[in-house]
Amino acid sequence: MASSTEIPSIALAGDISIPQFGLGVFQVAPEETIENVRHAIEAGYRHIDTAEAYGNEAQVGQAVRASGLDRSEFFITTKCWNDDQGYDSATRALKTSLGQLEMEHVDLYLIHWPAPSQDRYVETWRALIEAQQAGLARAIGVSNFQPAHLRRIIDETGVTPAVNQIELHPYLQQAGLRREHADLGIVTQAWSPLAQGLVLDDPAITSIAAEHGKTAAQIVLRWHIELGNVVFPKSVTVERLHENIDVFDFELSADELAQIEAVDRGERTGPDPDEFTRP
Ligand code: NDP
């Protein structure tokens, strides 16, 4: 079992650090969430990525409290959904999320999608800036933002998001956006780090796994860690929770990293951020 102290942290603006590895709870049913998060905490996870849209914030909060550990040991992220965008509604949405979580603050609050056709992400960003100043979110960031969306919020408010949470896995490596993040000082969070399982049969990845005596999932997660991405694979399977966090005792060689770089297909599993606006 990995202990949480083995998990590296990455510094965010404002003297906050984020554990580079955690648990995602998208598509975890509310009735499964308490047990899922409890098992994860027992396995050493301290960073949980949820969202208002996942419908399980309340259960995440309950599991954190039930652990008996101090709130300060956890890093909790939640997100503002598309139909809550706008200055007033985003301000209300964060308060609703905090009510669901039964927490006084989140560690990170994100705009879930830019939803550019609504054209409200700049005023939404202003609401997040004020929420951070009010202490309701220790850090603020965005998700699924393209370079033009990032530059616009930075130009119009002067505040750079701490993170951009984007779809990123071996079949969608996002080299251009990662370079943009590095230039702007934004930490990259990789959602669907395993491409929801699609990359786990890739021959390049399974052969590296065989070399190391590790699983394909562990190779992919280790690749993310070495790239500097923050990851939070989802699993409701207890053995996989343990397997996924057990990636801090080996390294990939430059040649292995190059082999994984070569499997990129520029292939999304999720929606196109320039188009997606589902309310
Ligand atoms: P992941 O890439 O984490 O894959 C999850 C799937 O892989 C599940 O079916 C899980 O199965 C399976 N799996 C997990 N571990 C293993 C393993 N070791 N071996 C084999 N299969 C495994 O996909 P997600 O889409 O869930 O992404 C992770 C998180 O990213 C989300 O939970 C959410 O927090 C975030 N996210 C954010 C988005 C955004 O727009 N900001 C969009 C999508 C995700 P099982 O559970 O049955 O074990």
Side-chain angles (χ1 to χ4, degrees):
M1 181 193 296
S3 98
S4 57
T5 52
E6 293 170 15
I7 296 172
S9 285
I10 295 185
L12 302 179
D15 206 19
I16 294 163
S17 65
I18 182 167
Q20 204 182 347
F21 181 91
L23 176 73
V25 292
F26 176 43
Q27 293 174 325
V28 182
E31 60 276 13
E32 265 189 294
T33 304
I34 296 182
E35 204 173 308
N36 181 222
V37 175
R38 178 171 67 80
H39 286 307
I41 294 170
E42 284 169 5
Y45 293 61
R46 296 292 180 268
H47 166 188
I48 319 280
D49 183 89
T50 183
E52 189 277 331
Y54 302 168
N56 53 22
E57 290 170 310
Q59 290 76 16
V60 168
Q62 285 174 47
V64 164
R65 277 189 302 286
S67 73
L69 297 171
D70 196 78
R71 167 70 181 87
S72 64
E73 294 207 32
F74 290 93
F75 192 100
I76 307 294
T77 300
T78 195
K79 317 187 187 87
C80 176
W81 189 241
N82 301 342
D83 60 358
D84 287 319
Q85 282 210 33
Y87 182 86
D88 290 335
S89 36
T91 305
R92 269 197 307 275
L94 174 53
K95 289 184 178 149
T96 303
S97 286
L98 291 172
Q100 292 282 352
L101 287 158
E102 293 187 55
M103 290 180 185
E104 287 174 3
H105 67 270
V106 283
D107 297 283
L108 179 63
Y109 193 51
L110 305 180
I111 304 178
H112 207 145
W113 290 87
S117 65
Q118 300 184 155
D119 197 19
R120 292 205 302 245
Y121 62 83
V122 177
E123 46 167 324
T124 306
W125 185 237
R126 289 192 203 284
L128 268 61
I129 293 167
E130 289 202 9
Q132 184 185 25
Q133 286 163 352
L136 301 179
R138 294 175 69 228
I140 52 173
V142 295
S143 177
N144 299 301
F145 272 43
Q146 302 279 44
H149 311 133
L150 292 172
R151 291 194 183 278
R152 186 165 166 218
I153 58 170
I154 296 167
D155 288 349
E156 294 197 26
T157 69
V159 179
T160 302
V163 309
N164 188 17
Q165 181 177 128
I166 56 172
E167 181 179 349
L168 202 174
H169 44 70
Y171 289 163
L172 182 70
Q173 298 192 15
Q174 301 265 31
L177 197 43
R178 282 194 284 122
R179 260 195 309 276
E180 191 88 19
H181 291 169
D183 288 348
L184 293 169
I186 295 172
V187 170
T188 301
Q189 295 193 319
W191 67 250
S192 293
L194 305 173
Q196 299 203 333
L198 276 182
V199 296
L200 300 181
D201 294 325
D202 187 280
I205 293 167
T206 53
S207 99
I208 298 170
E211 283 291 312
H212 283 271
K214 290 281 183 182
T215 67
Q218 288 171 323
I219 297 301
V220 173
L221 294 169
R222 183 69 212 177
W223 169 80
H224 281 287
I225 297 291
E226 292 190 20
L227 249 50
N229 300 333
V230 175
V231 277
F232 24 81
K234 171 261 182 190
S235 179
V236 292
T237 313
V238 178
E239 299 72 38
R240 289 175 175 172
L241 289 174
H242 288 272
E243 175 185 331
N244 292 347
I245 200 174
D246 184 16
V247 293
F248 298 101
D249 62 349
F250 73 106
E251 285 179 10
L252 298 171
S253 67
D255 179 55
E256 289 167 336
L257 292 171
Q259 287 175 48
I260 300 176
E261 191 176 348
V263 306
D264 193 7
R265 302 173 178 173
E267 195 172 278
R268 289 187 189 282
T269 62
D272 178 346
D274 282 315
E275 306 294 333
F276 185 68
T277 51
R278 190 163 63 77

